[in-house]
């Protein structure tokens, strides 16, 4: 124990000593300021003017400014287009150099990699490492007695095709640099767009790679980033989204139309990245021999845990299709069962439509063409209905949309969509009401006893096995710190084992026998809804029945597919169309098109949710920006193009 304590104290002393040396010794090179002014033109090209204010405390000879211009960073996680490339404009590049405030550009030797120039050692000027998508700008101070004192470098260059245009948004996803000679004390970046008439709400921006910094969308054509300090180990990266019409002359190769690449996909990616970054933790693992044995042992334990506590019961119902509603629970309760205790955005829409179907709400259409994105629907509360049969989450939803958002009697989809936009109080109220809906819906699901009781205690018991890899991990960490063993692979293996086992145990959710029986029927009902269009022997029921089915299809996230089949099969229905509530009005004469209410109500909720989230994010500008409305820099990376940095020797 005494020996163990001594090693711990020695380790802490070593860490403290390293921090003191790093803090007080300083670097031979200081970068006091970095400025970049970026101007985008209608062709999607990017002009960059950079200023580096540096101090050299010992005499060096040369500096390289490496400029990468690849469009995608290594490991880019989203879809890419190999044709979507950028180019370095070799005809529009310049370097200016100042020493103690005096322009000495004509006294130093300049060199460029794309011209085949050579450095002071006689080698070809290249980036480090050399790359076909990187150019290096070189300055040799030999003729002026060396690189010493206060030096300012100004670079100007153009990147052709920096912008990527998707179906509904254009993007500049760029990394200005990912390495430099020293920490940067302060920095600023300005990005200027072509003049336009859009609102600042149409501009989105996120910053990455830095621990500090703020982003401000100053105007619809101007974004400014201010950073107090950029550590040597950090990089300066940002993603900016703007309307595609700002770049009408963009090259064809830089237009990437893909159903998976659009504004919402990019917003979702950045939002998830911000959450993951804020919660990120670092985990270490242990010595290779023990790690492999422990990992195998934990796999065996996990298999046994699965068999005993996680494997679902075998249901009595084994059919592929279930051609009627399996039970009478509300769509949110069904969703709680189907999606393992989760309530999704679709359950808001499904609950609304179910209340329309049950005639607690009347749905009316107003506005432009029904299938237009601007189509609007009015929801009217029917007060004479008996609400005693409604569950708490349904009653809450009525109060939310009519009393909070509406005028106690009516509310439009447009009102729902705009609620909380630009008003932080309403935005917070919207999110609070949404959370309450989810809470009450989950509570209703809990009362159904869909899930195994006593599972929590069993999970706590089997979680104790995690002490085995944790113990091996601590030994590996101790030996690595104190004996400098190269056991990184063992550390990684144990980290994966600990995290994977912990996440798995925490995620165990097992349905009860009755719950799994009900789930099997709902799953078969979902299969039926997906395939009924191909069932020649299936007699189509009336509109009232299909409205009931569509409510659950919405929560099951297949409403669009079901609607496409109904376009073909519904004309077989002989029932009077007026009997329905949201699927009836003019379904033959207007393209079916009251079914569009499903998508419109859903979009009003998701848009309202996004608007409230962005409003709160903008209000809390000092925090990591998660909505693209500006704010601060976050960790992680958008895997932007570009990169490079500065090198001196």
């Amino acid at each position: 124990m005494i020996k163990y304590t001594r090693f711990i104290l020695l380790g802490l002393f070593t860490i403290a000593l390293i921090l003191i040396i790093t803090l007080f010794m300083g670097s031979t090179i200081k970068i006091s300021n970095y400025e970049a002014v970026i101007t985008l033109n209608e062709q999607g090209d990017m002009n960059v003017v950079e200023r580096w204010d540096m101090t050299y405390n010992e005499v060096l000879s040369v500096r390289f400014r490496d400029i990468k211009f690849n469009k995608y960073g290594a490991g880019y996680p989203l879809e890419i287009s190999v044709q979507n490339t950028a180019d370095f404009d070799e005809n529009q590049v310049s370097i200016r150099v100042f020493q103690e405030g005096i322009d000495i550009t004509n006294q130093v030797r300049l060199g460029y990699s794309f011209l085949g120039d050579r450095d002071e050692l006689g080698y070809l000027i290249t980036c480090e490492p050399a790359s076909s998508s990187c150019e290096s700008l070189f300055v040799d101070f030999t003729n002026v007695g060396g690189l010493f004192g206060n030096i300012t470098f100004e670079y100007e260059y153009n990147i052709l095709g920096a912008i990527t245009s998707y179906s509904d948004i254009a993007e500049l996803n760029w990394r200005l640099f990912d390495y430099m000679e020293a920490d940067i004390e302060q920095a600023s970046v300005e990005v200027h767009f072509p003049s336009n008439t859009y609102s600042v709400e149409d501009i989105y921006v996120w910053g990455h790679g830095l621990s500090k910094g703020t982003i401000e969308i100053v105007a619809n054509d101007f974004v400014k980033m201010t950073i107090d300090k950029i550590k040597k180990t950090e990089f300066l990266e940002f993603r900016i989204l703007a309307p595609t019409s700002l770049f009408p002359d963009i090259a064809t190769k830089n237009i990437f139309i893909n159903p998976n690449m659009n504004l919402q996909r990019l917003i979702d990616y950045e939002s998830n990245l911000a959450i993951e970054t804020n919660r990120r933790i670092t985990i270490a693992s242990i010595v290779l021999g023990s790690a492999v044995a422990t990992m195998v042992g934990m796999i065996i334990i996990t298999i046994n845990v699965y068999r005993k506590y996680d494997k679902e019961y075998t249901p009595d119902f084994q059919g592929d299709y279930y051609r009627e509603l399996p039970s009478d629970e509300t769509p949110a309760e069904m969703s709680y069962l189907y999606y393992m205790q989760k309530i999704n955005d679709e359950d808001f829409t499904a609950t609304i439509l179910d209340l329309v179907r049950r005639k607690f709400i009347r749905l009316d259409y107003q506005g432009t063409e029904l299938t237009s994105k601007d189509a609007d629907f009015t929801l009217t509360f029917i007060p004479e209905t008996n609400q005693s049969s409604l569950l708490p989450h349904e009653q809450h939803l009525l109060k939310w949309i009519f009393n909070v958002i509406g005028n106690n009697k009516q509310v439009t989809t447009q009102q729902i969509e705009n609620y909380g936009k630009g008003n932080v109080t309403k935005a917070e109220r919207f999110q609070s009401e949404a959370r309450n809906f989810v809470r009450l819906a989950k509570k209703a699901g809990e009362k159904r006893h869909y899930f195994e009781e006593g599972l929590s205690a069993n999970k706590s018991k089997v979680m104790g096995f995690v002490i085995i890899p944790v113990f091996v991990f601590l030994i590996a960490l101790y030996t690595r710190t104190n004996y400098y063993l190269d056991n990184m692979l063992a550390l990684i293996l144990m980290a994966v084992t600990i995290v994977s086992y912990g996440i798995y145990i925490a995620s165990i959710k097992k349905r009860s026998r009755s719950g799994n029986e009900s789930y099997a029927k709902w799953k078969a009902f979902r299969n039926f809804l997906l395939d009924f269009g191909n069932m020649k022997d299936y007699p189509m029921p009336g509109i009232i029945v299909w409205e009931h089915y569509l409510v659950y299809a919405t929560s099951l996230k297949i409403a669009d597919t079901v609607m496409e089949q109904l376009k073909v099969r519904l004309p077989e229905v002989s029932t009077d169309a007026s009997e329905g509530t949201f699927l009836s009005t003019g379904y033959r004469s207007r393209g079916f098109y009251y079914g569009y209410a499903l998508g419109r109500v859903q979009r009003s909720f998701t848009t309202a949710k996004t608007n409230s989230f962005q409003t709160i994010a903008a209000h809390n500008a000092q925090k990591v920006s998660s909505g693209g409305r500006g704010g601060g820099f976050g960790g992680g990376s958008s895997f932007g193009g570009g990169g490079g940095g500065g090198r001196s020797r």
Side-chain angles (χ1 to χ4, degrees):
M1 184 65 183
I2 295 175
K3 183 178 180 181
Y4 182 78
T5 303
R6 190 173 69 245
F7 281 132
I8 292 178
L9 293 175
L10 179 61
L12 293 174
F13 174 79
T14 302
I15 293 173
L17 184 61
I18 292 173
L19 291 174
I20 292 172
I21 292 174
T22 302
L23 181 63
F24 289 100
M25 281 190 63
S27 172
T28 58
I29 301 174
K30 292 179 60 178
I31 306 175
S32 59
N33 183 58
Y34 169 83
E35 296 176 1
V37 178
I38 298 173
T39 304
L40 303 170
N41 63 21
E42 295 182 348
Q43 289 76 38
D45 302 332
M46 176 174 69
N47 172 262
V48 183
V49 178
E50 288 184 344
R51 177 187 176 99
W52 299 72
D53 293 322
M54 306 176 64
T55 300
Y56 290 81
N57 296 313
E58 68 172 304
V59 179
L60 300 177
S61 300
V62 298
R63 185 177 197 255
F64 300 80
R65 172 63 175 107
D66 301 335
I67 302 170
K68 298 179 183 178
F69 50 92
N70 50 294
K71 289 292 285 286
Y72 301 103
Y76 187 75
L78 305 179
E79 286 78 2
I80 66 173
S81 168
V82 294
Q83 288 80 25
N84 181 26
T85 59
D87 299 292
F88 187 88
D89 187 354
E90 299 176 2
N91 298 315
Q92 296 292 327
V93 57
S94 67
I95 307 172
R96 295 185 67 189
V97 184
F98 299 82
Q99 186 174 44
E100 305 298 337
I102 300 174
D103 191 337
I104 60 170
T105 306
N106 294 331
Q107 301 176 46
V108 298
R109 184 172 70 90
L110 307 179
Y112 306 89
S113 58
F114 55 83
L115 295 179
D117 294 335
R118 295 182 179 270
D119 62 21
E120 85 285 9
L121 302 177
Y123 297 108
L124 287 173
I125 297 170
T126 61
C127 292
E128 191 176 286
S131 169
S132 60
S133 58
C134 181
E135 299 292 355
S136 187
L137 313 183
F138 172 78
V139 183
D140 186 351
F141 283 75
T142 303
N143 294 334
V144 293
L147 186 55
F148 184 77
N150 297 318
I151 308 293
T152 295
F153 297 91
E154 290 184 355
Y155 304 96
E156 182 173 2
Y157 55 92
N158 291 335
I159 303 297
L160 307 179
I163 295 293
T164 298
S165 182
Y166 301 111
S167 60
D168 60 350
I169 203 70
E171 173 192 70
L172 174 62
N173 187 21
W174 207 258
R175 183 177 295 193
L176 286 171
F177 54 79
D178 44 29
Y179 55 83
M180 52 272 184
E181 295 93 332
D183 294 350
I184 298 176
E185 297 302 320
Q186 62 181 13
S188 67
V189 178
E190 295 182 2
V191 181
H192 299 269
F193 306 99
S195 59
N196 62 87
T197 58
Y198 285 98
S199 166
V200 294
E201 299 293 326
D202 297 311
I203 306 297
Y204 300 79
V205 58
W206 296 268
H208 295 289
L210 307 178
S211 56
K212 298 180 181 179
T214 59
I215 304 173
E216 180 184 8
I217 304 176
V218 180
N220 62 1
D221 60 353
F222 179 28
V223 170
K224 185 170 183 179
M225 310 172 203
T226 305
I227 306 102
D228 292 332
K229 188 180 184 67
I230 303 178
K231 298 178 182 178
K232 189 177 179 180
T233 55
E234 297 177 333
F235 52 86
L236 178 50
E237 182 182 78
F238 53 86
R239 169 179 266 138
I240 299 177
L241 305 180
T244 56
S245 58
L246 267 63
F247 311 100
D249 300 323
I250 191 171
T252 302
K253 69 174 184 176
N254 299 130
I255 300 175
F256 180 29
I257 305 301
N258 183 293
N260 294 322
M261 291 301 293
N262 51 43
L263 173 61
Q264 191 59 51
R265 176 72 182 281
L266 295 171
I267 289 176
D268 290 344
Y269 172 81
E270 291 290 345
S271 297
N272 290 333
L273 181 61
I275 294 172
E276 292 168 1
T277 298
N278 289 335
R279 295 177 178 176
R280 195 175 55 226
I281 56 176
T282 305
I283 301 173
S285 224
I286 73 170
V287 262
L288 186 58
S290 300
V292 172
T294 301
M295 198 171 192
V296 172
M298 292 303 296
I299 290 174
I300 295 174
I301 290 173
T302 301
I303 292 173
N304 290 330
V305 169
Y306 168 76
R307 289 174 177 172
K308 190 170 184 180
Y309 299 113
D310 196 18
K311 186 178 180 181
E312 296 286 359
Y313 295 108
T314 301
D316 294 332
F317 176 79
Q318 294 292 324
D320 293 329
Y321 298 108
Y322 204 89
R323 302 193 180 199
E324 58 187 25
L325 288 172
S327 56
D328 63 350
E329 56 254 75
T330 65
E333 290 175 295
M334 183 278 298
S335 187
Y336 180 81
L337 165 68
Y338 198 92
Y339 293 105
M340 299 300 285
Q341 301 178 338
K342 291 183 179 179
I343 301 298
N344 302 306
D345 289 352
E346 289 80 5
D347 298 323
F348 169 86
T349 305
T351 304
I352 288 287
L353 295 177
D354 195 40
L355 293 173
V356 172
R357 181 191 66 82
R358 292 156 64 188
K359 299 183 179 179
F360 289 94
I361 300 174
R362 185 175 69 250
L363 182 67
D364 298 303
Y365 162 70
Q366 64 181 30
T368 58
E369 290 298 323
L370 187 57
T371 55
S372 165
K373 69 177 183 178
D374 298 320
D376 200 9
F377 291 85
T378 298
L379 304 173
T380 302
F381 175 62
I382 303 175
E384 56 268 23
T385 54
N386 183 2
Q387 297 183 39
S388 61
S389 62
L390 295 180
L391 295 178
H393 70 278
E394 296 174 310
Q395 296 176 2
H396 171 77
L397 185 58
L398 287 175
K399 293 178 181 177
W400 177 13
I401 64 173
F402 288 113
N403 298 352
V404 177
I405 301 176
N407 62 3
N408 297 325
K409 297 179 180 179
Q410 288 184 331
V411 67
T412 67
T413 50
Q414 193 68 39
Q415 285 177 301
I416 296 173
E417 189 171 283
N418 292 332
Y419 189 83
K421 184 177 182 180
N423 185 316
V424 70
T425 301
K426 289 185 176 181
E428 290 175 343
R429 177 69 182 273
F430 184 91
Q431 292 196 4
S432 174
E433 298 291 344
R435 287 192 296 269
N436 282 334
F437 174 78
V438 171
R439 178 181 59 82
L440 292 171
K442 286 184 175 181
K443 193 171 182 179
E446 290 172 0
K447 292 181 178 179
R448 293 276 185 172
H449 302 291
Y450 291 133
F451 293 89
E452 194 86 325
E453 296 181 0
L455 185 61
S456 178
N458 291 327
K459 287 167 62 174
S460 298
K461 180 175 66 177
V462 298
M463 183 65 84
F465 287 111
V466 80
I467 195 173
I468 300 172
V470 167
F471 177 73
V472 179
F473 165 80
L474 292 174
I475 291 178
L477 184 62
Y478 174 80
T479 56
R480 179 177 176 84
T481 302
N482 294 281
Y483 298 104
Y484 309 104
L485 298 182
D486 185 12
N487 52 17
M488 180 57 69
L489 179 58
L491 289 170
I492 294 173
L493 288 176
M494 284 300 93
V496 171
T497 301
I498 294 168
V499 173
S500 299
Y501 185 78
I503 291 176
Y504 170 69
I505 298 301
S507 66
I508 290 177
K509 296 176 182 178
K510 185 176 181 178
R511 298 182 180 92
S512 62
R513 289 187 182 276
S514 60
N516 200 52
E517 190 70 31
S518 182
Y519 168 75
K521 294 177 181 179
W522 279 110
K523 185 177 180 181
F525 178 70
R526 186 179 189 274
N527 292 337
F528 159 69
L529 292 179
L530 289 172
D531 296 341
F532 78 88
N534 299 321
M535 297 178 180
K536 304 302 181 183
D537 62 337
Y538 175 65
M540 288 289 290
I543 287 176
I544 294 176
V545 173
W546 272 109
E547 285 190 338
H548 204 174
Y549 286 5
L550 276 168
V551 166
Y552 293 92
T554 300
S555 277
L556 290 168
K557 304 181 182 183
I558 56 171
D560 289 344
T561 302
V562 175
M563 294 294 292
E564 288 298 320
Q565 296 183 81
L566 280 177
K567 288 181 182 180
V568 178
R569 296 295 303 273
L570 199 59
E572 300 173 15
V573 178
S574 59
T575 307
D576 186 353
S578 64
E579 292 181 5
T581 56
F582 65 82
L583 189 60
S584 57
T585 303
Y587 83 89
R588 288 186 173 90
S589 62
R590 298 176 66 175
F592 192 51
Y593 273 23
Y594 234 43
Y596 183 73
L598 279 75
R600 186 64 184 91
V601 173
Q602 175 67 25
R603 195 174 80 246
S604 69
F605 175 74
T606 55
T607 301
K609 185 177 178 182
T610 300
N611 286 339
S612 64
F613 182 80
Q614 293 178 352
T615 298
I616 294 172
H619 180 71
N620 301 322
Q622 71 276 13
K623 297 181 180 179
V624 176
S625 173
S626 296
R629 297 264 65 87
F633 278 79
S637 173
S638 58
F639 298 88
R647 297 178 287 126
S648 299
R649 67 183 182 208

